[in-house]
Amino acid sequence: MTKPTPEQIATEVARLKAVHSRVPTHSFFGDDNRAAIDAQIRVLQERMSIDDVHDSFGELTEDGEYSHNTLDCALTAHDWLHGSLAADEASPAAGWEGIAR
């Protein structure tokens, strides 16, 4: 995959914002779907580096935890942004559109 253009990034952000309220709030496993989408939007809008993603979404909270799901989704957005998703992997928004109501 090649790196997306600024226009494609803006379209992806718009798609993520559109699907945000239509996905279940939490997954079957209790993951916060909307926090994961917010993370993806932030990665794309801020054009985050891999270090930025880990610093923002991989840091432990006060209770010694972090959301593996949110970090994983942020990393997917990073990989899409930098053109390193595998050819058979969907864009961040496409992944959510499949479960949106």
Side-chain angles (χ1 to χ4, degrees):
M1 178 184 156
T2 59
K3 283 185 166 187
T5 65
E7 293 79 18
Q8 290 169 317
I9 296 167
T11 298
E12 191 70 8
V13 168
R15 288 175 63 199
L16 286 165
K17 287 180 177 180
V19 78
H20 187 276
S21 65
R22 297 182 9 241
V23 300
T25 306
H26 290 84
S27 74
F28 174 79
F29 303 104
D31 296 318
D32 187 337
N33 289 333
R34 294 182 181 169
I37 294 170
D38 289 338
Q40 289 180 320
I41 292 169
R42 185 171 163 206
V43 168
L44 298 179
Q45 288 179 327
E46 296 180 16
R47 310 297 199 267
M48 288 185 164
S49 70
I50 193 75
D51 289 337
D52 293 337
V53 171
H54 281 282
D55 288 346
S56 296
F57 305 108
E59 294 293 314
L60 296 177
T61 61
E62 293 173 2
D63 60 4
E65 295 292 324
Y66 71 95
S67 171
H68 294 277
N69 183 60
T70 299
L71 176 59
D72 188 50
C73 290
L75 289 169
T76 297
H78 169 274
D79 290 350
W80 180 84
L81 177 66
H82 294 279
S84 57
L85 276 183
D88 63 341
E89 290 184 282
S91 73
W96 294 109
E97 290 166 345
I99 65 167
R101 299 179 204 159

